[in-house]
Structure formats: structure tokens, C-alpha cells
């Protein structure tokens, strides 16, 4: 089986959907859930599922991205993963780190890329008057949120939507899309998945 490390910063609902999808018949298995702060709620959910966890806090490395990424890389390597999944990991990774995981690192982003890279995607989609929104899974390259697309799920924007109501509708699709993409990716298939 392919060994998967999942990087998180927060509640880890996407991490949970990935871990729970990796059953007996899956080409991959979770070997590490790593957060960049001990307060990440997802750590407890990973432990409850019997997955090894680690924290590499970015704060002691303030202003020194390279030393944070050295520590991150070292801890990840201990788990010997074949694939890295970013799942709500809110630190931007530099080209040096990304290159080390070239072709082996994927990310989920809450917009229909190439629209709305970066933050506040749902507020921006609403402000633009978009009639649909969604999420994307892509390979991670040095350019932020711009690597090759591996999957996309669309949802309608409903009248009266707020960033929070739209985020919830999109997040439900993230939980369906990301496991489907990981299953294919782990089997060596990079053809994009489009939902619905
Ligand atoms: C998800 O919506 C994910 O797409 C987004 O953060 C949320 C994490 O939720 N990621 C980004 O914005 C990456 N720039 P989760 O911790 O419950 O999975």
C-alpha cells in the first residue's frame, strides 16, 4: 500500500474523510497526521482513529520559513510517506519544500480553480455574483493553488447565501471529492474527477 501523510491546521474534517476512506481494499493507508499547532482540533480525531500524530509548530520559526520547512520535512520523513495530502493546511510552502515532494503532494482548495486562489474564496465568489461555487483538488506546485487539476466538484450558489452557508455546502462536497481523488491518485491515475 501507498503510505499517506496528511497535513492539517484546523478541525480536520477533510482529514477525517480521507482517513475513513482508506479501508482494507484501498491502495493507500494513513501513516501520519501532522499539524502546525497543537491546538488543531483534527489531531484528536486522528488519534481516535489510531493514526499517528505529530506537531511541528511554525511559531518558534517566526520569520524563517526555511527552518520551519526543514523541521516539517524531517518529521514527515520519519513516517516514510509516499504521498502528502494537504487538508486545510494553512501555511504556504516554498518552492524548495514543494520540489522535494514533486508529483507526490496534493491539496484541496475551496473554489473552482483557477478562480479564487488564496483566502476568503466564498466571500469573493458571492461578491462576484457567481451562480456556482465548489472545490478543487490539485497537485501542489511552487505556484500557489495552481498545480495540475485532479478533481472538481460544483455546487449552486443559493439566494441568501452567506460565506458560511456556502462554505458548508462546498465542504460537504470536499468530503466526497477528496477521497475519490486520493483513491485514484494512489493507484497512479491522475485523470481528473468531475462531480457531480
Ligand atoms: C477546507 O474547506 C479546505 O478546503 C480549506 O480549509 C478548510 C479546512 O477544513 N483549505 C484552504 O483554504 C487551503 N488554502 P477542515 O480542517 O475541516 O478539513
Amino acid at each position: 500500500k501507498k503510505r499517506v501523510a496528511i497535513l492539517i491546521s484546523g478541525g480536520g474534517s477533510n482529514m477525517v474523510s480521507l482517513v475513513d476512506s482508506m479501508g482494507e481494499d484501498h491502495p493507500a493507508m494513513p501513516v501520519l497526521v501532522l499539524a502546525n499547532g497543537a491546538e488543531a482540533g483534527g489531531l484528536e480525531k486522528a488519534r481516535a482513529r489510531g493514526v499517528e500524530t505529530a506537531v511541528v509548530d511554525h511559531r518558534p520559526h517566526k520569520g524563517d520559513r526555511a527552518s520551519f520547512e526543514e523541521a516539517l520535512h524531517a518529521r514527515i520523513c520519519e513516517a516514510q510517506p509516499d504521498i502528502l495530502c494537504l487538508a486545510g493546511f494553512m501555511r504556504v510552502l516554498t518552492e524548495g519544500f514543494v520540489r522535494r515532494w514533486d508529483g507526490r503532494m496534493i491539496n484541496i482548495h475551496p473554489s473552482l480553480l483557477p478562480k479564487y486562489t488564496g483566502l476568503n474564496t466564498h466571500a469573493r465568489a458571492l461578491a462576484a455574483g457567481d451562480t456556482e461555487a465548489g472545490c478543487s483538488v490539485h497537485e501542489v506546485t511552487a505556484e500557489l493553488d495552481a498545480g495540475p487539476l485532479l478533481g472538481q466538484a460544483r455546487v449552486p450558489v443559493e439566494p441568501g447565501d452567506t460565506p458560511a452557508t456556502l462554505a458548508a455546502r462546498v465542504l460537504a462536497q470536499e468530503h466526497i471529492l477528496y477521497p475519490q481523488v486520493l483513491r485514484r491518485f494512489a493507484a497512479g491515475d491522475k485523470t481528473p474527477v468531475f462531480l457531480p
Side-chain angles (χ1 to χ4, degrees):
K1 280 192 188 237
K2 289 279 162 59
R3 299 168 61 83
V4 177
I6 305 170
L7 273 52
I8 64 169
S9 296
S13 70
N14 276 292
M15 176 277 295
V16 166
S17 76
L18 292 176
V19 167
D20 289 352
S21 75
M22 286 184 262
E24 296 261 303
D25 69 329
H26 200 281
M29 59 188 277
V31 295
L32 180 69
V33 169
L34 183 150
N36 61 304
E39 69 284 358
L43 290 169
E44 195 48 50
K45 296 171 195 164
R47 280 183 217 116
R49 287 165 170 76
V51 181
E52 184 184 331
T53 61
V55 174
V56 177
D57 199 324
H58 65 279
R59 284 163 292 204
H61 302 275
K62 196 171 182 300
D64 190 349
R65 231 181 254 280
S67 87
F68 168 62
E69 291 184 350
E70 252 342 291
L72 186 64
H73 186 72
R75 183 60 190 88
I76 292 167
C77 285
E78 281 180 41
Q80 299 187 286
D82 302 298
I83 296 170
L84 285 193
C85 291
L86 307 183
F89 185 68
M90 304 307 278
R91 307 300 303 173
V92 173
L93 297 164
T94 69
E95 185 171 4
F97 183 93
V98 169
R99 248 205 237 105
R100 289 164 137 177
W101 296 97
D102 187 34
R104 300 182 291 158
M105 177 160 51
I106 63 179
N107 178 47
I108 188 153
H109 181 77
S111 78
L112 295 173
L113 291 172
K115 276 189 158 180
Y116 314 127
T117 63
L119 300 176
N120 303 318
T121 55
H122 304 303
R124 288 154 67 201
L126 291 175
D130 291 358
T131 56
E132 58 175 11
C135 51
S136 306
V137 179
H138 62 95
E139 270 188 70
V140 178
T141 57
E143 196 185 339
L144 183 70
D145 299 327
L149 189 68
L150 296 169
Q152 210 156 54
R154 321 179 89 80
V155 303
V157 173
E158 306 282 6
D161 259 341
T162 63
T165 59
L166 182 55
R169 193 174 309 120
V170 171
L171 189 62
Q173 293 305 304
E174 296 185 39
H175 298 158
I176 298 167
L177 178 69
Y178 208 177
Q180 286 197 24
V181 171
L182 176 61
R183 181 180 282 273
R184 296 167 77 132
F185 190 77
D189 182 358
K190 296 189 178 186
T191 4
V193 183
F194 293 98
L195 304 178

